[in-house]
Amino acid sequence: GKSKANNITNVSSVFLGIPYFRDPLGENGGIDKDPIYRFDRFDCLTFVETVLALTFSKNSDDFEDIIKRIRYSNGEVDIKKRNHFINPDWIQNNSDFVKEATKDIADKINSEISVSKIMLDRKTWFKKNYNIDINIEEQEAVLDYITLDTLLAKEAELKKAITEPMIVNIVIYKPSFRKRYGSEINTSHIGFIIPSENELIFRHASFFKEKVVDDEFFRYLRMLKKYKMYKGINFLEIKS
């Protein structure tokens, strides 16, 4: 049968042109009254979550259950249980749907892996962003990535290596983030990389273009390279 990953291409294409809107989803009550899901506006993460949930669901009842499982630890709709941090929460809690594939891609293109390490301060982050008190130790968050320079030098190899859609995270490091957000963070953006003819498409809800768009992946990487804070790309495989 067709893999789940290949269905991503069709499911996601329906949303091209839908407006970008920061943080459009919530718990439909409590602190964040935004809806549990919606199809009329997305930010980068909710676009990926919605497309994944549609791809994995068999019908509309199923969809709501799956989007809750993707967005929340154990599917419990609670702002404290939301997978706010791509790394490690979103990646680890979504092991039914995705798996880390950076090493696999690095092997296929014969490249080194780099590792991003940050300290995640959830306690300060929750207080600063939602005025919620939680008592939780700081945690080291570690994420594999391949540098922008390496990927740009291995364009032909990467085109061969990516045979079906994957999820990509843009890995970032900027010390001032701790002050700005209340914690260090090491991903800034998420989207789908989709093989097409002889190119790779980056399909994402773009803050700059204010909607869901297709960008040519390597052109997008060259744009990122103009800014020092962007380090590279982390790859996630979509499970079948």
Side-chain angles (χ1 to χ4, degrees):
K2 278 194 79 172
S3 73
K4 289 279 197 295
N6 278 318
N7 292 340
I8 290 282
T9 308
N10 295 334
V11 173
S12 61
S13 68
V14 175
F15 299 118
L16 285 165
I18 298 286
Y20 180 95
F21 188 87
R22 195 173 170 273
D23 192 21
L25 300 184
E27 286 71 42
N28 207 11
I31 288 172
D32 190 339
K33 294 177 175 46
D34 287 324
I36 304 269
Y37 64 87
R38 66 192 306 166
F39 303 110
D40 62 334
R41 50 181 61 179
F42 296 109
D43 63 17
C44 66
L45 181 57
T46 64
F47 171 62
V48 168
E49 291 172 330
T50 303
V51 170
L52 261 192
L54 286 166
T55 303
F56 277 87
S57 58
K58 293 169 188 64
N59 54 47
S60 52
D61 295 347
D62 205 19
F63 168 78
E64 185 159 349
D65 178 51
I66 289 175
I67 200 160
K68 287 173 182 172
R69 275 171 58 200
I70 291 171
R71 284 181 53 75
Y72 298 94
S73 170
N74 300 322
E76 288 176 53
V77 179
D78 175 339
I79 199 163
K80 293 185 202 143
K81 296 280 173 78
R82 199 194 300 171
N83 296 319
H84 295 279
F85 300 98
I86 296 289
N87 174 47
D89 304 358
W90 198 90
I91 296 172
Q92 284 180 6
N93 293 337
N94 278 310
S95 59
D96 287 349
F97 306 106
V98 300
K99 72 173 190 190
E100 177 57 69
T102 308
K103 286 187 171 72
D104 186 38
I105 296 290
D107 287 347
K108 285 180 181 168
I109 68 172
N110 191 24
S111 82
E112 298 287 308
I113 286 178
S114 300
V115 180
S116 164
K117 288 185 182 173
I118 55 162
M119 290 308 290
L120 202 54
D121 182 353
R122 289 189 181 83
K123 184 176 174 172
T124 306
W125 186 89
F126 268 104
K127 187 70 180 164
K128 190 176 176 73
N129 293 282
Y130 291 107
N131 198 23
I132 292 175
D133 293 304
I134 61 163
N135 204 8
I136 188 163
E137 295 283 303
E138 278 195 37
Q139 175 190 358
E140 187 177 58
V142 179
L143 192 65
D144 288 342
Y145 69 97
I146 302 172
T147 67
L148 296 176
D149 284 334
T150 300
L151 292 170
L152 286 165
K154 301 263 188 176
E155 185 168 332
E157 292 90 333
L158 194 67
K159 283 175 179 171
K160 275 202 198 80
I162 295 182
T163 54
E164 55 180 26
M166 301 183 81
I167 291 171
V168 288
N169 287 298
I170 293 170
V171 177
I172 196 165
Y173 183 71
K174 201 173 182 182
S176 64
F177 280 171
R178 178 178 273 260
K179 204 167 168 203
R180 188 167 153 196
Y181 298 116
S183 175
E184 291 185 310
I185 53 172
N186 61 357
T187 67
S188 65
H189 193 49
I190 189 170
F192 295 104
I193 187 169
I194 297 175
S196 161
E197 317 271 307
N198 337 325
E199 60 175 11
L200 292 172
I201 300 287
F202 181 44
R203 183 168 291 168
H204 60 126
S206 166
F207 169 78
F208 294 109
K209 295 186 177 171
E210 301 184 347
K211 59 187 177 185
V212 177
V213 295
D214 281 351
D215 279 309
E216 197 275 321
F217 185 63
F218 295 100
R219 192 179 304 149
Y220 192 83
L221 295 188
R222 286 193 289 275
M223 184 274 291
L224 293 180
K225 250 194 77 61
K226 295 176 186 166
Y227 305 91
K228 241 176 102 170
M229 63 184 172
Y230 295 113
K231 301 303 178 191
I233 300 289
N234 161 266
F235 294 85
L236 300 176
E237 185 185 314
I238 295 154
K239 290 192 167 179
S240 275

